[in-house]
Amino acid sequence: MPTFQTYKASTLDTTTGTTLVTCGTGQHFLHSAYVANVYGSAMGITLKVEHADATVTYVAYNYKVFPNETVDLVKDNKIYLLTGDKLIAQADKSDAFTVNVSLLDEANQ
């Protein structure tokens, strides 16, 4: 049965990124990806999907978020993640953002 899951991170790996979720079997609907800049100046954040075949699709690339601002990087987009896909967040400063992702697991059930 499909269920909503939330994945959170308050520190991000600045070199390779932090894996927020690795998808299990099936289709998974990425509902939202809220990022909040908790740093004192504008910072860029990258959100990408690393597919099971190691190719990468960027949801946002070095997207500038101003201080004390929260944005949904997914917004009105309809993004499905498939078996083995990883959702990865990366920023220039490890503690500049908090990230909260909402994912509907097994959306095709």
Side-chain angles (χ1 to χ4, degrees):
M1 170 176 247
T3 57
F4 271 106
Q5 301 291 331
T6 55
Y7 302 92
K8 301 174 184 178
S10 57
T11 58
L12 302 176
D13 186 313
T14 59
T15 307
T16 59
T18 298
T19 300
L20 302 170
V21 62
T22 301
C23 294
T25 303
Q27 294 179 346
H28 313 276
F29 178 68
L30 182 58
H31 180 262
S32 62
Y34 285 97
V35 296
N37 182 342
V38 295
Y39 192 62
S41 61
M43 297 289 291
I45 187 164
T46 297
L47 184 68
K48 62 186 175 182
V49 178
E50 184 179 297
H51 302 285
D53 64 1
T55 59
V56 173
T57 302
Y58 290 93
V59 176
Y61 184 82
N62 204 22
Y63 185 85
K64 187 174 284 187
V65 181
F66 293 98
N68 305 316
E69 181 180 32
T70 301
V71 296
D72 182 1
L73 296 177
V74 175
K75 295 182 192 166
D76 298 323
N77 296 314
K78 296 180 179 40
I79 299 173
Y80 280 88
L81 303 177
L82 303 175
T83 304
D85 286 352
K86 295 179 184 178
L87 187 63
I88 300 171
Q90 182 177 357
D92 292 335
K93 186 161 175 20
S94 66
D95 60 350
F97 291 95
T98 60
V99 180
N100 189 334
V101 171
S102 180
L103 184 76
L104 180 61
D105 280 335
E106 300 175 8
N108 61 334
Q109 297 289 323

